[in-house]
Amino acid sequence: MMHLEQIFPTTIYMNVCPIDVTECINFLGQVELAETSDEVIENYGYRSKDSYILNNNECTPLRNWLVECVDEYAKEILGYQVEGMGITQSWLSIKRTGQKHVAHAHPNSVVSGVFYFEDGDTPIVFTNHDHDFFKITRDPEIAPWNNYTIYPKGLGVILFPSHLEHEVIVNDNKDRYSLSFNTLPLGGFGSEGDLTHIDYSRIIAKKQ
């Protein structure tokens, strides 16, 4: 008898913020947007001028909770043996009606995340590319496992490995607000013995 089994699953983390982050939400709703080209807006929507938005004091409670989530995901779910995780860049993302965010991944990041302001009908879609050697079209109704769709939940966060490709389909609803961010391990990572070690405190430059 035939038996099918899914292997090498990718675990995505989801949680809902249990604390009051009203001050941060209000602050994010008033930040200055980056000036960019029509082509960028068409493919990515709008984003905040400040790409370290969580560094602002108004966002401290939300930032602390997000770091706790990333620590839990990285250390207890993914099993990464790291000192802890820290948020690098973070930015507000807005999709007006008719806008989308083309498929992409997040280089120079280990775990990426998206925090949503409210429930929404425009999802984020994850795609697992198996890089077929033979380019044979696959019927998504028969083999749908390379796509996964998640709809925004108010004050909810989604965490995922940064290499995982994702996109936002065309927004046919009201303005869609979210907060995206990237992370790296604190202290460093890799193996000194294998010559793959990154220790931020020991990176050197030319001496004057």
Side-chain angles (χ1 to χ4, degrees):
M1 179 180 293
M2 181 178 69
H3 172 76
L4 299 177
E5 185 153 351
Q6 302 283 343
I7 64 173
F8 305 127
T10 299
T11 303
I12 295 176
Y13 176 105
M14 290 175 278
N15 204 347
V16 176
C17 187
I19 61 175
D20 184 5
V21 291
T22 303
E23 181 180 2
C24 180
I25 297 296
N26 292 338
F27 167 77
L28 292 172
Q30 301 176 35
V31 298
E32 183 179 357
L33 300 181
E35 294 184 7
T36 187
S37 67
D38 291 340
E39 181 180 0
V40 170
I41 292 173
E42 179 183 355
N43 289 315
Y44 299 95
Y46 294 93
R47 71 166 179 84
S48 58
K49 181 178 180 180
D50 186 353
S51 64
Y52 289 87
I53 203 78
L54 284 173
N55 290 29
N56 290 279
N57 291 333
E58 292 87 348
C59 298
T60 298
L62 177 58
R63 180 179 68 240
N64 290 344
W65 178 74
L66 291 173
V67 170
E68 291 176 2
C69 291
V70 177
D71 272 349
E72 181 178 42
Y73 177 51
K75 298 166 70 174
E76 300 181 24
I77 309 299
L78 300 179
Y80 293 161
Q81 296 181 343
V82 295
E83 174 185 327
M85 299 294 293
I87 293 175
T88 54
Q89 286 190 286
S90 54
W91 59 97
L92 176 72
S93 180
I94 303 175
K95 304 292 179 288
R96 309 277 191 210
T97 304
Q99 293 179 341
K100 62 182 184 297
H101 200 128
V102 297
H104 65 289
H106 291 216
N108 290 344
S109 176
V110 174
V111 169
S112 293
V114 184
F115 176 81
Y116 297 100
F117 292 17
E118 57 186 3
D119 293 349
D121 295 324
T122 302
I124 181 172
V125 180
F126 293 94
T127 302
N128 178 32
H129 287 291
D130 50 17
H131 301 289
D132 295 326
F133 285 102
F134 295 99
K135 299 301 180 181
I136 303 173
T137 302
R138 180 163 54 193
D139 187 336
E141 294 186 3
I142 296 176
W145 55 77
N146 65 324
N147 290 100
Y148 192 80
T149 298
I150 300 178
Y151 287 87
K153 186 172 181 60
L155 302 185
V157 66
I158 300 173
L159 302 177
F160 51 92
S162 299
H163 63 79
L164 188 61
E165 186 175 280
H166 53 286
E167 63 184 301
V168 178
I169 64 173
V170 175
N171 179 25
D172 292 326
N173 305 286
K174 64 180 181 179
D175 290 354
R176 179 186 187 274
Y177 286 77
S178 62
L179 172 73
S180 299
F181 56 93
N182 291 325
T183 70
L184 284 175
L186 298 173
F189 53 96
S191 168
E192 191 167 353
D194 291 340
L195 305 180
T196 60
H197 193 221
I198 300 295
D199 182 342
Y200 307 124
S201 68
R202 297 168 72 178
I203 296 175
I204 57 175
K206 181 180 178 181
K207 290 187 177 181
Q208 299 298 325

